[in-house]
Every structure is written in structure tokens, then in C-alpha cells.
Amino acid sequence: MSQRLDYFSIAGDLFKPMMAQENLFKNSTLEYSVVELVKLRASQINGCAFCIHMHTHEMRAHGESEDRMHLLNAWRESPLYTPRERAALAWCEALTRVETTGAPDADYDAVAELFDPREQVLLTLLVSAINSWNRIAIGFRTAHPVSETTTGANAA
């Protein structure tokens, strides 16, 4: 897989609003774990290797456990996630797959119970933003970094 276009070098100025939004999420009342778990889960659903790589590395650097990252794909069956994280993950999945889910009332009700109205908007913007980032990275075939430690012993 080779990158189609170095979009950030060519049109970095077009990403200023998205970067400002990222700072807004970072400095919001949403917990770091909620923000990063949502970003990672949407990236898993969308199959965005670049974003999965970036977010797992960032989460690890901030002390996130390997178990919580590895089990994220099966978060509903694991006790490792808080009620707010669970509600955010369900909302993330509902909105990322909105064509099939229709954003069910049960998922919204869980978010409304645990997040104040402003946080509900922030969370929804967060899900929208990571889905946009995923589509940009996938569309331009942005490759994640590869090092000797990540290629493994059996890599071809």
C-alpha cells in the first residue's frame, strides 16, 4: 500500500478547523480515556490502520492498559470499562454505523443519563471527527509508521 497524496503537506491549512476541534476535545470535560477509546473504537470499525496505530501508541504513552486496548473490540463482554466509557462506546458504534443502527434511543438514553447536554454534543462531535479523520487517512492511504520492533519475527 502506498500513500496516494501527502494531504497534510499539500493543504495543511485546510485542517486548521479540525486541529482546533482536536484541542477542544483535549481540553474538554470528557475524560482522556473516553476520548481515546472512542477514537480507537471508531478506527477499528472503519479499519483505519494509521489511526489505530496512532491512538494505541498515544494511549500506551498515557498509561492505558494493554488489556483495555486489546479487549476494546469486545468491550460489551469485559468489565474493564466504566459506565461513561460504555455509554460513549455504544454511541460511537451507533453513529459510526448509523446507516444500519439509526442511532437507537437506548444508546442515546445511556449517553443522556451519564453526560451533561454539552458533553453529549462534544461526544457526538468527537465521533464525527474521528470518522472524518479515518476517511481522510483511508482515502489517501496514509501508512502507519513501521519499525523493526513492530514488524515481528515472522514478517514477510
Side-chain angles (χ1 to χ4, degrees), residues 112-127:
E113 181 180 325
L114 296 169
F115 293 83
D116 69 37
R118 182 172 177 82
E119 289 176 328
Q120 293 171 42
V121 174
L122 276 165
L123 182 59
T124 302
L125 285 171
L126 172 65
V127 174

Side-chain angles (χ1 to χ4, degrees), residues 13-28:
D13 60 311
L14 299 179
F15 292 93
K16 286 181 182 178
M18 290 179 76
M19 297 305 292
Q21 192 174 46
E22 289 300 319
N23 283 328
L24 182 123
F25 301 139
K26 185 178 178 180
N27 296 311
S28 75

Side-chain angles (χ1 to χ4, degrees), residues 61-135:
H62 280 88
E64 185 58 74
S65 78
E66 295 293 322
D67 279 349
R68 282 173 35 101
M69 289 188 289
H70 292 303
L71 291 167
L72 185 57
N73 201 37
W75 66 268
R76 292 177 195 273
E77 289 79 40
S78 174
L80 298 180
Y81 305 94
T82 69
R84 275 175 60 98
E85 290 168 347
R86 291 177 172 285
L89 289 167
W91 192 235
C92 170
E93 289 182 0
L95 294 182
T96 299
R97 296 177 169 144
V98 72
E99 82 288 354
T100 58
T101 70
D105 288 340
D107 291 338
Y108 178 78
D109 291 346
V111 167
E113 181 180 325
L114 296 169
F115 293 83
D116 69 37
R118 182 172 177 82
E119 289 176 328
Q120 293 171 42
V121 174
L122 276 165
L123 182 59
T124 302
L125 285 171
L126 172 65
V127 174
S128 298
I130 189 56
N131 276 282
S132 291
W133 284 118
N134 290 165
R135 282 149 180 78

Side-chain angles (χ1 to χ4, degrees), residues 36-49:
E36 289 302 318
L37 288 169
V38 163
K39 288 179 177 182
L40 181 55
R41 183 67 189 118
S43 299
Q44 289 175 335
I45 293 167
N46 290 322
C48 184

